[in-house]
Amino acid sequence: MARTIQSLERAAAVLRLLAGGERRLGLSEIASALDLAKGTAHGLIRTLQQEGFVEQDPATGRYQLGAELLRLGNSYLDVHELRARALVWTDDLARSSGESVYLGVLHQQGVLIVHHVFRPDDSRQVLEVGAMQPLHSTALGKVLAAYDPVALSEALEGERQAFTERTVTGEAEFEVALEVVRSRGWAADVEETWDGLASVAAPIFDRRRMPVGAVGVTGAVERVCEGDELRPLLVAAVRDTARAVSRDLGARRF
């Protein structure tokens, strides 16, 4: 039988313990529950904290699971399942909107495009599955940053490059923009990333109400917008698609 690594077993035990209840636990409680020396428990927790798997409440000193586990949970959901659930809905959205549809997930410091439905016309188009988009300027990215704390951290800590004169790069302005996204439930990108193009995107949630991706439409400004605003019917269609995929993933509340 293969030998196991004791420190990894103990770290896993700490995570299971913190996942087992709703309240935060102190160092002594963790050490006692796992029958560990206090110094050993502290070393494990400190390492897990440095990696983002455990967070400490600054007010009480107690510990809870960290946001990095959200990233792992999203990966476990399986991007292929997310894509499979979204296939019919994204095809319908492309047909009804007449525009390109993208499905994106958080990957490192950007948005990974995992599904792309071409605009339903005879124009020459390039498949963008596997392409990366920025978090801070695209509609897909802003949706993820608004609802996913890991994506928010990546967006705030990373470089916010100015792609056009409309790109929001300041931290305070960016956080205000995300508040707008949360308040209305969708994000816009009107020439913030590419001149002449506009996008609208909405979040996709799983059965735990965790954000697992975003779906959006991108097209020429003159088709996607009415004046300075996104077309309301297009916004509604994108939100309906996001809700439909979320329901297929087990989400019940929106």
Side-chain angles (χ1 to χ4, degrees), residues 50-172:
Q50 289 172 346
E51 296 299 322
F53 297 125
V54 167
E55 295 175 354
Q56 186 177 31
D57 186 330
T60 65
R62 291 175 173 268
Y63 298 94
Q64 63 184 5
L65 294 179
E68 183 64 18
L69 288 172
L70 178 63
R71 185 199 298 273
L72 298 183
N74 288 351
S75 297
Y76 183 74
L77 175 67
D78 189 351
V79 165
H80 298 295
E81 180 185 357
L82 173 62
R83 182 178 180 276
R85 299 285 186 179
L87 285 176
V88 173
W89 301 110
T90 51
D91 282 349
D92 287 347
L93 179 58
R95 280 193 295 269
S96 65
S97 68
E99 302 294 346
S100 300
V101 176
Y102 297 88
L103 184 69
V105 298
L106 176 66
H107 180 67
Q108 296 177 354
Q109 292 184 317
V111 182
L112 175 67
I113 302 302
V114 296
H115 185 51
H116 173 201
V117 184
F118 283 162
R119 184 172 62 256
D121 60 21
D122 295 328
S123 63
R124 184 186 179 102
Q125 299 173 64
V126 177
L127 186 65
E128 295 187 41
V129 172
M132 293 291 292
Q133 293 187 3
L135 283 169
H136 69 286
S137 62
T138 61
L140 293 172
K142 285 187 279 187
V143 161
L144 293 175
Y147 291 96
D148 183 340
V150 178
L152 175 59
S153 177
E154 297 285 11
L156 291 176
E157 294 175 5
E159 178 187 1
R160 290 181 296 279
Q161 181 181 346
F163 298 106
T164 73
E165 62 181 16
R166 292 173 175 256
T167 308
V168 173
T169 58
E171 182 173 326

Side-chain angles (χ1 to χ4, degrees), residues 13-24:
V14 170
L15 295 176
R16 290 193 189 98
L17 179 64
L18 292 174
E22 295 184 0
R23 65 190 182 94
R24 299 179 177 90

Side-chain angles (χ1 to χ4, degrees), residues 93 97-102 116 119 128 133 137-142 164 166 184 186-202 215-232 234-235 238:
L93 179 58
S97 68
E99 302 294 346
S100 300
V101 176
Y102 297 88
H116 173 201
R119 184 172 62 256
E128 295 187 41
Q133 293 187 3
S137 62
T138 61
L140 293 172
K142 285 187 279 187
T164 73
R166 292 173 175 256
R184 63 189 184 185
W186 55 276
D189 164 12
V190 180
E191 296 189 287
E192 293 179 50
T193 311
W194 303 282
D195 287 321
L197 292 181
S199 305
V200 57
V215 61
V217 161
T218 297
V221 171
E222 59 269 21
R223 295 195 307 266
V224 175
C225 297
E226 292 179 352
D228 294 329
E229 301 293 332
L230 274 297
R231 290 197 288 119
L234 183 59
V235 173
V238 170

Side-chain angles (χ1 to χ4, degrees), residues 44 140 166 179 181 246:
L44 290 169
L140 293 172
R166 292 173 175 256
E179 284 297 328
V181 173
S246 297

